[in-house]
């Protein structure tokens, strides 16, 4: 069952439709809405091109299909953290224009273009917000990259956060099965 629940990706951005499954559904008893998810990636490389810094991580157009192909309609909020997980909290006037790119082999693999952000360095962690709902369900098989795991967590106290696997990472055998190729392990 679908529902039209508007959800802004960032201030002023166009709203999108979120899918909802009724609680009494026998098919699925869990629903993800956009604001429930976030995606984190470690920055593997930073380069300069076109007068801007480009931070390159492990998530891109294969996970953020709409953002890559229609960035004007599907932008995501992005936060930057140190390698230790501390927020890079600096005044917005000190942000610099940067691109955040994914690992795929085409120029459109961009999560953000000319976005004002704290300076991103190798090893930093980039968090993409509001990635529930359509993000994981639209995963692309481009280059046969393995779909990532999905985790849920409970924050029961200020001292401990319990993570749980909601969906395991895809295996090579699962990708080969998708393409109806014989498994390499047989």
């Amino acid at each position: 069952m679908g529902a039209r629940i508007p959800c802004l990706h960032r201030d002023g951005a166009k709203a999108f439709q979120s899918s909802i499954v009724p609680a009494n559904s026998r098919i699925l008893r869990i629903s993800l809405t956009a604001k429930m998810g976030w995606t984190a990636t470690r920055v593997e490389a930073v380069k300069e091109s076109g007068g801007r810094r480009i931070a390159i991580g492990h998530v891109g157009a294969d996970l953020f299909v709409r953002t890559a192909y229609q960035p004007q309609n599907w932008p995501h909020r992005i936060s930057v953290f140190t390698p230790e997980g501390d927020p890079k909290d600096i005044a917005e006037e000190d942000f610099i224009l940067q691109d955040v790119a994914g690992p795929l082999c085409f120029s459109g693999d961009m999560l953000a273009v000319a976005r004002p952000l704290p300076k991103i360095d190798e090893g930093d962690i980039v968090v993409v917000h509001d990635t529930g709902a359509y993000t994981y369900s639209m995963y692309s098989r481009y280059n046969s990259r393995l779909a990532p795991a999905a985790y849920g967590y409970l924050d029961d106290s200020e001292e401990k956060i319990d993570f749980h696997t909601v969906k395991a990472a895809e295996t090579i055998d699962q990708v080969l099965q998708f393409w109806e190729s014989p498994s390499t392990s047989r």
Side-chain angles (χ1 to χ4, degrees), residues 1-3 19-31:
M1 172 168 130
S19 296
I20 292 188
V21 176
N24 62 358
S25 170
R26 290 183 182 172
I27 298 170
L28 182 64
R29 295 196 187 274
I30 299 172
S31 67

Side-chain angles (χ1 to χ4, degrees), residues 63-137:
L63 190 58
F64 295 97
V65 176
R66 289 180 172 187
T67 300
Y69 293 105
Q70 291 189 331
Q72 70 282 3
N73 294 327
W74 301 97
H76 282 276
R77 292 182 300 122
I78 293 177
S79 297
V80 183
F81 295 81
T82 67
E84 295 76 31
D86 298 315
K88 283 197 168 181
D89 288 331
I90 63 170
E92 282 191 36
E93 58 266 13
D94 295 327
F95 284 11
I96 60 174
L97 293 181
Q98 298 171 92
D99 297 347
V100 179
L104 302 181
C105 58
F106 73 102
S107 63
D109 188 15
M110 305 295 280
L111 297 177
V113 175
R115 180 83 58 90
L117 295 165
K119 183 181 176 193
I120 303 172
D121 297 302
E122 266 185 43
D124 282 350
I125 300 167
V126 170
V127 173
V128 184
H129 298 273
D130 311 323
T131 64
Y134 292 117
T135 302
Y136 196 89
S137 66

Side-chain angles (χ1 to χ4, degrees), residues 8-24:
L8 298 179
H9 278 274
R10 66 176 187 184
D11 293 340
K14 187 182 280 188
F16 72 93
Q17 311 307 313
S18 178
S19 296
I20 292 188
V21 176
N24 62 358

